[in-house]
Amino acid sequence: SIFTNSVSPAVFVNLILSIAGDKKLVFVNISSGAANRPIVGWAAYCASKAYAKAFFEVLNEQEKENPKIKVLQIDPGMMDTEMQKKIRMSDPKILDQHSKFVTAKKEGNLKTPEQAAEYILSQIALS
């Protein structure tokens, strides 16, 4: 997750910036609550999401005077994904917030991937 969530986006963004010339660019970071708070057992995931959030915050600050570059950070909220399913099936002794994930599913508080995609697209359209 470190490479996927932090190193790859940073390399990709810097490559795009180096070849884009004067084209208009919109960078969208799909964030996560894990970028803002520690989750025991998820050190790499939380750190990589926090890295990505900070990277895009710096990019936004760096390019704030450039009207051709826009940076968005969007947290779609908790989704009912395979990752969520694995979390709910995991050993509660290993993940101290296990019950939070189980409760979110039981109470219908998880978005479908389609709902999350609609939310992301709506946020992009609003910007």
Side-chain angles (χ1 to χ4, degrees), residues 2-105:
I2 296 273
F3 191 79
T4 301
N5 292 326
S6 58
V7 177
S8 293
V11 169
F12 180 70
V13 165
N14 283 305
L15 174 65
I16 295 298
L17 288 170
S18 73
I19 62 174
D22 67 344
K23 292 183 175 65
K24 184 174 182 179
L25 302 172
V26 178
F27 294 102
V28 179
N29 177 41
I30 305 303
S31 192
S32 164
N36 303 316
R37 65 183 175 281
I39 300 172
V40 173
W42 288 14
Y45 183 73
C46 291
S48 67
K49 293 305 264 184
Y51 174 100
K53 182 180 177 190
F55 175 83
F56 284 99
E57 285 173 350
V58 170
L59 178 64
N60 188 53
E61 186 66 22
Q62 174 182 307
E63 300 296 338
K64 69 182 178 186
E65 301 299 324
N66 186 344
K68 293 190 179 264
I69 296 179
K70 184 167 201 96
V71 179
L72 303 174
Q73 301 231 37
I74 302 171
D75 180 351
M78 292 176 71
M79 294 182 282
D80 196 6
T81 61
E82 284 300 311
M83 180 177 160
Q84 278 281 333
K85 185 177 179 181
K86 288 178 184 177
I87 292 166
R88 292 189 304 270
M89 292 173 55
S90 70
D91 184 350
K93 295 175 193 162
I94 296 173
L95 180 62
D96 71 336
Q97 296 182 26
H98 182 270
S99 64
K100 174 184 172 183
F101 293 96
V102 172
T103 301
K105 174 67 173 175

